Amino acid sequence: MLLIVALVIAFVQGSIPFSYLFGKKLQGIDLREHGSGNLGATNVFRTLGKGWGILCLLLDMGKGAAA
Protein backbone atom coordinates (compact mmCIF):
# COMPACT_ATOMS: atom_id res chain seq x y z
CA MET A 1 0.00 0.00 0.00
CA LEU A 2 2.84 2.39 0.88
CA LEU A 3 4.45 1.74 -2.51
CA ILE A 4 1.23 2.63 -4.34
CA VAL A 5 0.89 5.89 -2.39
CA ALA A 6 4.54 6.76 -3.13
CA LEU A 7 4.05 6.05 -6.84
CA VAL A 8 0.92 8.20 -7.01
CA ILE A 9 2.68 11.08 -5.23
CA ALA A 10 5.69 10.80 -7.57
CA PHE A 11 3.41 10.76 -10.62
CA VAL A 12 1.47 13.83 -9.52
CA GLN A 13 4.63 15.66 -8.55
CA GLY A 14 6.28 14.85 -11.88
CA SER A 15 3.30 16.09 -13.84
CA ILE A 16 3.64 19.70 -12.65
CA PRO A 17 4.57 21.69 -15.79
CA PHE A 18 6.68 24.50 -14.31
CA SER A 19 7.50 25.93 -17.73
CA TYR A 20 3.81 26.19 -18.64
CA LEU A 21 3.02 27.84 -15.31
CA PHE A 22 5.88 30.32 -15.69
CA GLY A 23 4.75 31.29 -19.19
CA LYS A 24 1.13 31.79 -18.15
CA LYS A 25 1.82 33.64 -14.89
CA LEU A 26 4.75 35.80 -16.03
CA GLN A 27 3.90 36.71 -19.61
CA GLY A 28 0.38 35.40 -20.12
CA ILE A 29 1.58 33.19 -22.97
CA ASP A 30 1.44 29.50 -23.77
CA LEU A 31 5.04 28.38 -24.28
CA ARG A 32 3.82 25.61 -26.57
CA GLU A 33 3.08 28.38 -29.08
CA HIS A 34 6.36 30.28 -28.65
CA GLY A 35 10.03 29.51 -29.22
CA SER A 36 10.59 25.86 -30.01
CA GLY A 37 7.08 24.92 -28.87
CA ASN A 38 8.52 22.54 -26.30
CA LEU A 39 7.60 22.81 -22.60
CA GLY A 40 11.12 22.61 -21.31
CA ALA A 41 13.64 24.72 -19.45
CA THR A 42 15.49 25.58 -22.66
CA ASN A 43 12.40 27.14 -24.18
CA VAL A 44 11.76 29.05 -20.94
CA PHE A 45 15.37 30.24 -21.08
CA ARG A 46 14.94 31.46 -24.67
CA THR A 47 11.48 32.95 -24.27
CA LEU A 48 11.32 34.31 -20.71
CA GLY A 49 14.98 34.89 -19.94
CA LYS A 50 18.01 33.42 -18.27
CA GLY A 51 16.84 33.63 -14.66
CA TRP A 52 13.47 31.99 -15.24
CA GLY A 53 15.07 29.31 -17.40
CA ILE A 54 17.54 28.40 -14.67
CA LEU A 55 14.80 28.38 -12.02
CA CYS A 56 12.64 26.14 -14.20
CA LEU A 57 15.58 23.76 -14.74
CA LEU A 58 16.27 23.58 -11.01
CA LEU A 59 12.60 22.94 -10.19
CA ASP A 60 12.41 20.22 -12.86
CA MET A 61 15.56 18.61 -11.50
CA GLY A 62 14.22 18.87 -7.96
CA LYS A 63 10.97 17.11 -8.73
CA GLY A 64 12.91 14.36 -10.51
CA ALA A 65 15.25 13.93 -7.55
CA ALA A 66 12.38 13.95 -5.06
CA ALA A 67 10.52 11.24 -6.93
Side-chain angles (χ1 to χ4, degrees):
M1 183 65 172
L2 184 60
L3 177 62
I4 294 172
V5 171
L7 289 173
V8 169
I9 290 171
F11 176 78
V12 170
Q13 179 180 328
S15 68
I16 300 170
F18 287 115
S19 56
Y20 179 80
L21 296 174
F22 285 174
K24 279 294 186 189
K25 296 298 181 188
L26 297 174
Q27 297 289 327
I29 61 173
D30 185 352
L31 282 175
R32 296 173 293 186
E33 298 173 356
H34 291 82
S36 65
N38 186 355
L39 283 181
T42 302
N43 199 25
V44 173
F45 189 90
R46 291 181 190 142
T47 309
L48 301 179
K50 180 180 178 180
W52 293 112
I54 292 171
L55 179 60
C56 184
L57 175 63
L58 292 174
L59 288 171
D60 284 344
M61 288 171 51
K63 70 181 179 182

